[in-house]
Amino acid sequence: MKKIMSVNAGSSSLKFKLFEMPSEKVITEGNVERIGLNDAYFTIKVNGEKQKEVLPIPTHKEAVAKLLKELLAKGIVKDIKEISGVGHRIVQGGWYFSDSCLVNDDTIAKIEELCPLGPLHNPAHLIGIREFMKVLPDVPHVVVFDTAFHQTMPETSFMYAIPYDWYETYKVRKYGAHGTSHKYVALRCAEMLGKDIKDLNIVTCHLGNGASISAVKGGKCIDTSMGLTPLEGIPMGTRSGNLDPTVLSFMASKKGYTLEELITILNKKSGYLGVSGISNDSRDLEEAVSQGNERARLALDLQYKRIADYIGSYYVLMGGIDAIVFTAGIGENSPRCRRSVIDRIQVLGAKIDPEMNKLRGKEAILSTEDSKIKVLLIPTEEELMIARDVVRVAKIEL
Ligand code: ADP
């Protein structure tokens, strides 16, 4: 029995989950938010109960120190050395990483080199890795990349039809995101259906604040909706998804925006928020729709329509679909979203059971007996995948 820590370090946050392996039991979980402020939050679950503290946490160094101190103080571990390995989530693994790997000087240099492609995330991940390595220098540290699962995409899926030199010299191509989640739910889908994943064509819909869709054929990703960055694909909480790039120059000429401002607007002020003018949260929009708000309805419908478009195109790409999986905040919790998407692809023979579709946050098969495509609800478990990879990659004996 070993304890494995799964870490997700953001620019001002640090999420953690401590697992007991091989049972995969969650020992504790929590996060540090608002790092850099005098009133940062430290939250930890002890015996299922959430405990929150407000305190100054100037940098990630203090965040890691606080976390380890509390693990000891609350008796969750008696000695920090009980932690046998640490897994770090990395958003951008670029063209270098098609699987998780051990942290060493070479890995760090490559993650650093990829910072321009993941400017908001990779630098924060590196700080997290360095701080954890200082306090746990004798255990293996493993990096798990959001992009790794998508590295099996063929050229026809990952290339953009742009000057080839942009690809060769600057590595401009599609990398995708949420790969750990897509991989987990695809594996779990095969298990739930009692089938070998090699025999299945699965569309995985990770619908959270950020959202992406993947085509998983025989267990391998062959296309995904996010691109060079998470801006591509379907409309999301605050992101626009696909649009004609000329919109940028047109709006620059109208309003005098810089390129950077325009990209920020497409990342932070578009999607649900931009169209509805109300919120980036699907719950707020669903509530507004129930009160007759037409722009909220449009914001949701733009997304549902685009999800259906991707499913249709992946149906053609894979030569049929055996299963569609819904996961992440909206996929797991919004019957309205699932029903609206499946209604739009009726022509493919997918049918959802209205009673089953009321379920939230629990594994279930939602499709009717006579549906030609199985529709599944599978809560994602990215942190567990990270802990599993620590054991596998570092060859930790359990
Ligand atoms: P991210 O990890 O990308 O920040 P999440 O996976 O947490 O996003 O998803 C956030 C979205 O999920 C929000 O739009 C929110 O409204 C929706 N969501 C989360 N929980 C629920 C719930 N219990 N009921 C309905 N929607 C939910």
Side-chain angles (χ1 to χ4, degrees), residues 192-226:
M192 285 171 69
L193 296 178
K195 295 257 168 76
D196 189 334
I197 197 163
K198 293 211 168 63
D199 301 326
L200 291 174
N201 290 344
I202 307 172
V203 174
T204 48
C205 305
H206 178 109
L207 308 175
N209 204 19
S212 65
I213 325 273
S214 292
V216 184
K217 188 173 181 65
K220 293 204 156 75
C221 176
I222 61 166
D223 205 351
T224 195
S225 60
M226 281 182 170

Side-chain angles (χ1 to χ4, degrees), residues 15 178 206-211 237 239 272 280-284 286 327-335 360 380 382:
K15 285 191 202 145
H178 302 135
H206 178 109
L207 308 175
N209 204 19
R239 296 192 188 109
Y272 284 172
N280 67 328
D281 191 297
S282 68
R283 286 166 288 198
D284 297 339
E286 290 190 20
T327 193
I330 299 168
E332 291 167 28
N333 293 295
S334 174
R360 293 165 188 259
T380 194
E382 288 155 292

Side-chain angles (χ1 to χ4, degrees), residues 262-281:
L262 286 159
I263 295 295
T264 302
I265 294 171
L266 294 184
N267 267 310
K268 300 216 165 76
K269 300 213 181 298
S270 303
Y272 284 172
L273 177 65
V275 177
S276 73
I278 300 175
S279 167
N280 67 328
D281 191 297

Side-chain angles (χ1 to χ4, degrees), residues 99-164:
D99 195 3
S100 307
C101 64
L102 282 167
V103 176
N104 55 31
D105 290 347
D106 179 55
T107 324
I108 300 251
K110 284 175 174 154
I111 297 171
E112 214 148 35
E113 187 189 334
L114 293 166
C115 281
L117 291 177
L120 300 178
H121 296 100
N122 278 25
H125 300 326
L126 284 167
I127 297 171
I129 293 173
R130 288 187 171 120
E131 290 308 326
F132 267 96
M133 287 185 80
K134 276 186 212 156
V135 291
L136 288 165
D138 300 323
V139 303
H141 289 255
V142 170
V143 272
V144 180
F145 301 91
D146 279 16
T147 45
F149 184 57
H150 304 304
Q151 282 292 301
T152 46
M153 285 192 289
E155 251 180 356
T156 42
S157 291
F158 75 68
M159 286 293 295
Y160 295 120
I162 49 176
Y164 199 73

Side-chain angles (χ1 to χ4, degrees), residues 3 68 71-72 75-83 136:
K3 294 189 174 83
L68 297 179
L71 290 180
L72 288 167
I76 296 165
V77 296
K78 291 198 184 64
D79 188 328
I80 291 303
K81 292 201 178 101
E82 283 175 34
I83 299 173
L136 288 165

